[in-house]
Amino acid sequence: MTTLRLVLGDQLNSRHSWFAQVDPEVVYVLMEIRQETDYVLHHAQKILAIFAAMRRFARALRAAGHRVHYLAIDAPANHQHLCTNLDALIARYAVRRFEYQAPDEWRLDQMLEHYACKLSISAQMVDSEHFLSGRREALSWFGSRERWLMERFYRHMRLRHAVLLDGSGEPAGGRWNFDADNRNPWRGTPPLPADIRTHHDHAALWKAITAAGVNSFGAPQAHSLPWPQDRAEALQQLEAFVANALPQFGPYQDAMHSEAPRLFHGLLSFALNTKMLAPREVIARVEQAWRAGAVPLASAEGFIRQVLGWREYVRNVYWSRMPEYGKLNALDHRRPLPSWFWNGRTHMRCLALAIGQSLSDAYAHHIQRLMVIGNFALLAGLDPQAVHRWYLGVYIDAFEWVELPNTLGMSQYADGGQITTKPYISGAAYIDRMGDYCKGCQYDKRARTGANACPYNALYWQFLDRHRGRLGTLPRLAVAYRQWDRFSTEARAEVREHAELTLQQLDSL
Ligand code: FAD
């Protein structure tokens, strides 16, 4: 009796219990399909890196003795659709049982659930054995509360998984959160960690992908793709991060610098989200480094909060609130993306750098995503759906379960504040404080109005002004509103007028 087991492109977990034993009656299937390359326009590196890692995974399974059916993008028998391919394979292998791991995306979960229901053979979804919390676990203790606070979830996770606790079960160092210690700009020192990633030549695969008619954007770097292709490479990267970058991760977590696209960040999200690495082992390794005295607590805690807190939390938000969550637009923002989102050609230096880097590297760190690109999109009232599609396409680590709550919720406030206590907005002053992005920019970071004024400034005040009805009572915006109210009537009128003009010329900024 043959069993067909589906492995999706973000389920490359070689330590899943499925693979513990070789069973000649089990066929594993992996497929490169247009359905998955085309549901949004993707960065070239994302398509390449996922397909290359899938191929490597399939080879490793075969080498371990498993039966594998691999459908390459250009295989004549590839119908380019998940369910049609599954139908053909079920017939070909006379399959009597179909199994799949819980997909992380709503879209695929629905598709497979529907497909499995209609099958005349038995079908089962099994756990992906990756996450540290259930899909909707937070529902049970946040209940019907409108706003879910990450910090509460995070403390619960620390206690439940006994992470960074002292002997009496209290938070190590006497505090749950060292965020306040973690806000330095980087000015050239300490030295940056070396990038030890292996670069891969995938020119042949790239040729096959383009020949199959797949559209994409961004630089493919097909001769020199820097993303890990398997667990061994991902583990090497984790070790290098812990040794060379983690000690400085905390203090420079929010910094931005034109000569340091990565700063002290981990570059581990692709390996984590494709499940080459387990969050449990990454957290354990970081905690161990702190316990061995190699890493300050503020850095270890800052990093662990991202993986044990934010990553698990946004997944819970996604699964508890989909599909409605994906359609939210609380601020009724409708503007299309300016053309420079696709080529980085804007005179605003911060955006040219952050978007330029995203297009060339398929990577930007958190503050670039949130306080440069996302901040501008929110201030300019860009359509959150268009912003979501751009983020889902451009980043190497973008899978909807993690990207959507971050973009629509945290960054665009399109959920009306379900996961944040205020919108993440700022004028030029914040961007200038956190790095060198304003240096040499043609716009004046101090000016609010006038031809050379930094567009963030007038847009910031106009955003607060136009959304006063909804945001005016938020305690965390009280200071900003008091400041706005101290502007003279003429100054307010000038800001409104300049912001309107700016919005009419977004493409040419
Ligand atoms: P590091 O700074 O080294 O952080 C360590 C790890 O913590 C990351 O690898 C990631 O797994 C996790 N992490 C950190 N912040 C978050 C967060 N807010 N939510 C979930 N996990 C987090 N992350 C994604 O993995 N995929 C996305 O599609 C994605 N889209 C984002 C969109 C926006 C608008 C914003 C503001 C953030 C987004 N993030 C996303 C979160 C974060 O920016 C990335 O996880 C991080 O930049 C990845 O780089 P790194 O591995 O160097 O991270």
Side-chain angles (χ1 to χ4, degrees):
M1 180 181 113
T2 304
T3 297
L4 189 70
R5 285 180 172 169
L6 173 67
V7 180
L8 296 170
D10 64 347
Q11 295 179 334
L12 309 181
N13 174 6
S14 56
R15 298 198 305 174
H16 192 278
S17 55
W18 267 2
F19 311 119
Q21 276 167 353
V22 171
D23 182 343
E25 298 209 338
V26 173
V27 177
Y28 291 97
V29 57
L30 293 94
M31 40 179 109
E32 301 169 355
I33 43 179
R34 292 291 299 271
Q35 173 197 306
E36 292 307 294
T37 57
D38 295 4
Y39 68 88
V40 74
L41 187 66
H42 289 286
H43 196 295
Q45 283 179 51
K46 189 175 167 194
I47 302 169
L48 249 183
I50 294 175
F51 282 7
M54 285 167 67
R55 290 181 177 205
R56 181 84 67 99
F57 192 79
R59 279 203 298 277
L61 286 185
R62 279 198 189 109
H66 298 286
R67 284 173 78 191
V68 178
H69 190 107
Y70 195 93
L71 273 167
I73 189 78
D74 52 358
N78 190 343
H79 300 281
Q80 306 294 348
H81 190 273
L82 184 58
C83 302
T84 327
N85 278 339
L86 287 173
D87 281 342
L89 292 168
I90 286 171
R92 173 176 169 166
Y93 289 102
V95 168
R96 304 301 303 276
R97 185 174 167 75
F98 170 59
E99 293 179 0
Y100 63 102
Q101 295 179 25
D104 290 324
E105 274 192 52
W106 174 264
R107 179 181 59 90
L108 286 170
D109 185 73
Q110 293 296 295
M111 189 182 287
L112 280 164
E113 189 182 315
H114 191 65
Y115 180 76
C117 277
K118 288 204 318 202
L119 281 177
S120 54
I121 57 172
S122 72
Q124 193 191 8
M125 180 176 91
V126 303
D127 190 11
S128 65
E129 301 174 10
H130 176 79
F131 292 98
L132 291 148
S133 55
R135 275 179 174 178
R136 296 182 184 84
E137 188 175 323
L139 252 187
S140 60
W141 42 281
F142 279 124
S144 57
R145 264 192 207 107
E146 176 71 3
R147 180 174 292 143
W148 291 10
L149 288 182
M150 199 297 284
E151 191 63 27
R152 226 192 116 201
F153 176 85
Y154 169 57
R155 290 179 192 187
H156 162 85
M157 293 293 278
R158 286 265 298 271
L159 288 168
R160 177 164 149 209
H161 294 281
V163 173
L164 291 182
L165 300 180
D166 66 18
S168 48
E170 294 297 318
R175 277 155 66 189
W176 291 103
N177 184 321
F178 289 79
D179 221 11
D181 303 357
N182 287 348
R183 289 186 187 143
N184 295 356
W186 181 76
R187 309 235 186 260
T189 54
L192 298 170
D195 187 353
I196 59 97
R197 292 179 294 171
T198 308
H199 289 237
H200 302 271
D201 190 340
H202 287 306
L205 175 55
W206 182 236
K207 212 167 150 199
I209 291 170
T210 47
V214 176
N215 286 324
S216 64
F217 69 114
Q221 292 201 26
H223 289 286
S224 186
L225 192 74
W227 301 105
Q229 306 287 273
D230 60 21
R231 179 170 164 76
E233 283 182 21
L235 281 171
Q236 264 173 20
Q237 224 180 287
L238 172 63
E239 285 309 313
F241 166 67
V242 170
N244 306 320
L246 179 61
Q248 309 296 349
F249 175 85
Y252 301 104
Q253 203 175 331
D254 289 357
M256 298 182 264
H257 200 280
S258 58
E259 282 160 32
R262 170 225 176 147
L263 280 159
F264 300 93
H265 292 273
L267 298 176
L268 294 169
S269 48
F270 175 70
L272 274 166
N273 294 353
T274 51
K275 305 187 179 60
M276 294 176 195
L277 289 180
R280 195 181 301 274
E281 68 188 324
V282 171
I283 292 164
R285 181 67 189 90
V286 168
E287 177 164 6
Q288 183 200 32
W290 166 66
R291 291 200 185 275
V295 171
L297 181 56
S299 282
E301 189 282 316
F303 183 85
I304 285 174
R305 177 155 22 94
Q306 309 309 319
V307 182
L308 183 64
W310 280 108
R311 188 169 184 269
E312 299 282 330
Y313 165 81
V314 295
R315 177 169 179 266
N316 266 272
V317 169
Y318 179 79
W319 279 103
S320 306
R321 303 202 166 176
M322 281 297 277
E324 293 75 19
Y325 197 84
K327 300 176 199 132
L328 297 176
N329 187 356
L331 300 177
D332 195 27
H333 284 172
R334 307 264 166 212
R335 271 195 190 81
L337 301 190
S339 55
W340 37 261
F341 266 74
W342 305 100
N343 56 32
R345 279 187 233 119
T346 162
H347 302 291
M348 292 177 281
R349 188 167 180 261
C350 58
L351 278 159
L353 286 164
I355 292 181
Q357 177 190 321
S358 304
L359 296 172
S360 66
D361 299 355
Y363 175 81
H365 61 69
H366 190 68
I367 293 300
Q368 294 172 305
R369 296 186 203 196
L370 186 66
M371 294 312 295
V372 180
I373 308 171
N375 182 12
F376 186 88
L378 180 55
L379 296 179
L382 304 188
D383 172 4
Q385 287 299 323
V387 179
H388 152 57
R389 284 193 297 275
W390 186 82
Y391 274 91
L392 183 58
V394 75
Y395 293 115
I396 196 74
D397 52 33
F399 297 90
E400 196 184 77
W401 63 271
V402 52
E403 177 277 332
L404 186 73
N406 270 299
T407 304
L408 221 67
M410 190 193 305
S411 161
Q412 298 304 295
Y413 206 73
D415 65 1
Q418 293 181 24
I419 64 171
T420 56
T421 49
K422 73 170 185 70
Y424 281 95
I425 47 168
S426 80
Y430 174 85
I431 296 173
D432 185 45
R433 192 161 62 245
M434 296 318 292
D436 71 343
Y437 277 6
C438 299
K439 216 167 149 185
C441 182
Q442 78 161 50
Y443 291 109
D444 180 350
K445 64 192 177 202
R446 285 190 195 86
R448 276 199 303 260
T449 56
N452 276 338
C454 171
Y456 280 85
N457 292 336
L459 291 179
Y460 171 78
W461 293 113
Q462 195 236 23
F463 173 90
L464 288 172
D465 187 38
R466 77 174 186 272
H467 290 302
R468 190 162 201 154
R470 179 178 267 276
L471 307 176
T473 53
L474 293 182
R476 292 190 66 200
L477 288 181
V479 173
Y481 276 109
R482 271 204 298 279
Q483 247 177 299
W484 173 241
D485 289 340
R486 281 201 293 270
F487 282 28
S488 67
T489 311
E490 296 74 40
R492 279 202 294 269
E494 254 180 64
V495 165
R496 288 184 189 119
E497 194 185 330
H498 185 69
E500 270 315 315
L501 203 68
T502 305
L503 290 172
Q504 283 162 25
Q505 303 169 348
L506 284 184
D507 271 328
S508 55
L509 289 178

